[in-house]
Amino acid sequence: MPTIRTLKTGVAGVRGVVGDSLTPQLLIGFAQAFGTYLGGGVVVLGRDTRPSGEMARNALVGGLMATGCHVIDVGIAPVPTIQHAVRRHAADGGIAITASHNPQEWNALKFIHRDGILLRPYQGQELLSVYYQGNFKLATAEALGQVEEDRGAIEAHLEDVLRELGDDFDLITERRPTVVVDCCNGAGALASETFLYALGCEVITINDTPDGLFAHSPEPIPENLGQLAEAVREHEADLGFAQDADADRLCLVNELGEAISEEYTIAFACDALPDDQPGPIVANLSTSRMVDEAAARHGRRVIRTAVGEINIVAAMLREQAALGGEGIGGVIWPRAGYGKDSFAGMALILAGLARRGGTISDWQHSFRPGAIVKEKIDCSASLAQPVLLALRAAYADEQTDETEGLRVTWPDGSWLHVRPSNTEPIMRILAEADERSAAEARAAEAAAIVRQELSRLQP
């Protein structure tokens, strides 16, 4: 039986530790459940570079074929490429085999709807119900599915992103920036160099072997980008880009060789968005106020949602948004697709840099000085609600938003967001203020309330 501690199932998919909770039996079961849920049809399948990916791919192919699905295998590819391929093939759905920014021993499945968007929460719940009921609709020998390969999926995806740049394409190629990109030996290693060359960049790649043997933690955050920062300094590059294992997230290093917060990614993309692309910006409650500042520069409003890509996408569709994203380095540009896409992020940021001139550090300093602090405290799901009630009582006199957990905003522009994680038994605490000491104080105050309530609940 899978070890529950390392098995994460939910409406966003399933993930676990390979050889522990993520077993071939589990993978086959979810493939059969997805095929049953779709009623057969065409399913696009792709994976990141983790060594366990081939095992997972084979298990999924068998389960999908058994339910009569025709499988289009795009091989190793970024998640946004897999989503693009679902739309391009007019497939009935797709599965991305990737644990994204998680360590190498993990792997996971992301399920994609026929519109190229991750399953909505209700669709994910329906899929889970099919899986747990176990009443799969298996095809007869004559009706088993087939498998075909599509090795042009990456090229087709990148061509579409480049096409959407319009006149900004020429601005980038005229500037010819020097860029270092750290692919973390993930799926981006098959695409990033080609993409940046197409934009006229001078490109230096590091960790560009697509073998899934990560040179560092694949989460693209400043503390993991020492090697990229050194390479930017060595090559006197204009900037550095870092991707996670499935190339949907992006973080930057400036021209001084300084890794900057992943929160800048969506802020820069928002600021770079051409004014002739109308609509609001959508970001989650945990994303930096820099998004609000960038949106205000262009007369756009910001809509805040609960954390989770699908929550942002749902609001973007509803509000006809021009851009969406998360402060984890995720950019969602509808013209490229409704999913986090590091290539869309790179394109917009390079276009913005070419249009405004100057350097990345100049761009950084155009925003209000600030610091964001991110903490977490162990907290089981069963205790999350009483903890949140205690927080709501403590901040009852402040301006609050209870869309997800509790977000508190103060007149000086500082804010606090406390919420239970969607994937781990922890309470996440984020705070932003002009000074790091002030942000730390906001976070510490909330953490003390959380720990006090946990101590009361479990003496």
Side-chain angles (χ1 to χ4, degrees), residues 17 19 21 32 51 64 114 122 186 215 245 248 351 354 400 407 415:
V17 172
S21 56
Q32 291 175 315
L64 291 168
R114 63 172 56 90
Y122 77 89
D248 67 349
T400 61
R407 193 181 200 267
W415 59 268

Side-chain angles (χ1 to χ4, degrees), residues 41-272:
V42 177
V43 177
V44 171
L45 184 65
R47 65 183 181 92
D48 71 18
T49 59
R50 294 166 198 269
S52 61
E54 184 64 17
M55 178 275 291
R57 179 259 181 204
N58 290 331
L60 292 174
V61 166
L64 291 168
M65 290 177 65
T67 54
C69 290
H70 181 85
V71 178
I72 299 178
D73 181 9
V74 300
I76 294 174
V79 161
T81 295
I82 300 168
Q83 293 176 274
H84 180 273
V86 171
R87 299 193 304 275
R88 184 166 61 91
H89 287 287
D92 296 280
I95 305 176
I97 306 166
T98 175
S100 188
H101 62 282
N102 289 110
Q104 185 176 307
E105 64 269 22
W106 288 77
N107 216 329
L109 308 179
K110 293 182 178 180
F111 296 98
I112 303 165
H113 189 255
R114 63 172 56 90
D115 56 11
I117 298 172
L118 299 182
L119 294 188
R120 280 70 165 176
Y122 77 89
Q123 294 166 337
Q125 192 58 59
E126 290 170 347
L127 175 60
L128 285 176
S129 296
V130 174
Y131 172 75
Y132 286 120
Q133 288 171 12
N135 187 23
F136 308 136
K137 295 180 180 178
L138 303 181
T140 63
E142 295 78 16
L144 292 175
Q146 302 294 318
V147 182
E148 68 171 291
E149 293 185 348
D150 172 10
R151 292 298 177 258
I154 291 176
E155 181 179 1
H157 168 219
L158 299 185
E159 284 179 351
D160 275 1
V161 175
L162 293 171
R163 186 179 302 112
E164 292 299 336
L165 277 171
D167 293 341
D168 282 338
F169 178 89
D170 293 331
L171 288 178
I172 299 169
T173 56
E174 288 169 8
R175 174 157 177 166
R176 297 190 63 80
T178 299
V179 180
V180 183
V181 57
D182 181 353
C183 307
C184 198
N185 295 335
L190 296 177
S192 298
E193 184 175 24
T194 299
F195 181 70
L196 292 167
Y197 271 136
L199 284 168
C201 300
E202 297 291 334
V203 188
I204 299 96
T205 58
I206 62 174
N207 300 322
D208 58 349
T209 303
D211 58 10
L213 302 178
F214 305 140
H216 53 76
S217 168
E219 186 171 15
I221 54 178
E223 49 261 47
N224 295 329
L225 304 187
Q227 189 179 359
L228 177 60
E230 182 179 345
V232 168
R233 292 191 295 270
E234 177 186 348
H235 295 280
E236 298 182 343
D238 293 288
L239 74 163
F241 288 126
Q243 299 167 307
D244 61 349
D246 60 4
D248 67 349
R249 288 167 57 170
L250 186 71
C251 190
L252 280 75
V253 169
N254 67 21
E255 82 286 353
L256 302 175
E258 300 168 339
I260 65 177
S261 169
E262 64 276 20
E263 297 282 347
Y264 277 100
T265 304
I266 179 62
F268 284 165
C270 177
D271 203 14

Side-chain angles (χ1 to χ4, degrees), residues 324-391:
E326 302 178 278
I328 58 173
V331 173
I332 304 171
W333 188 27
R335 294 196 172 201
Y338 281 96
K340 295 194 300 291
D341 188 337
S342 66
F343 301 96
M346 286 190 282
L348 286 170
I349 290 168
L350 288 171
L353 187 63
R355 202 182 306 121
R356 64 179 282 118
T359 64
I360 290 291
S361 61
D362 292 336
W363 203 353
Q364 278 178 261
H365 297 143
S366 74
F367 287 91
R368 174 181 179 176
I372 190 165
V373 172
K374 303 181 181 183
E375 297 184 5
K376 57 187 178 182
I377 297 174
D378 290 340
C379 178
S380 66
S382 62
L383 298 179
Q385 192 57 35
V387 167
L388 288 174
L389 289 173
L391 285 162

Side-chain angles (χ1 to χ4, degrees), residues 288-347:
S288 170
R289 66 189 182 187
M290 288 190 292
V291 168
D292 302 85
E293 187 175 347
R297 294 175 184 179
H298 303 274
R300 302 182 193 270
R301 63 191 177 101
V302 176
I303 298 165
R304 296 279 180 172
T305 73
V307 172
E309 179 176 323
I310 193 57
N311 295 316
I312 293 170
V313 168
M316 291 177 68
L317 290 166
R318 184 174 63 250
E319 302 289 341
Q320 297 184 308
L323 192 79
E326 302 178 278
I328 58 173
V331 173
I332 304 171
W333 188 27
R335 294 196 172 201
Y338 281 96
K340 295 194 300 291
D341 188 337
S342 66
F343 301 96
M346 286 190 282

Side-chain angles (χ1 to χ4, degrees), residues 390-414:
L391 285 162
R392 289 167 185 165
Y395 293 103
D397 294 333
E398 308 294 348
Q399 180 183 333
T400 61
D401 184 327
E402 298 180 13
T403 300
E404 181 186 33
L406 182 72
R407 193 181 200 267
V408 187
T409 305
W410 286 274
D412 65 358
S414 61

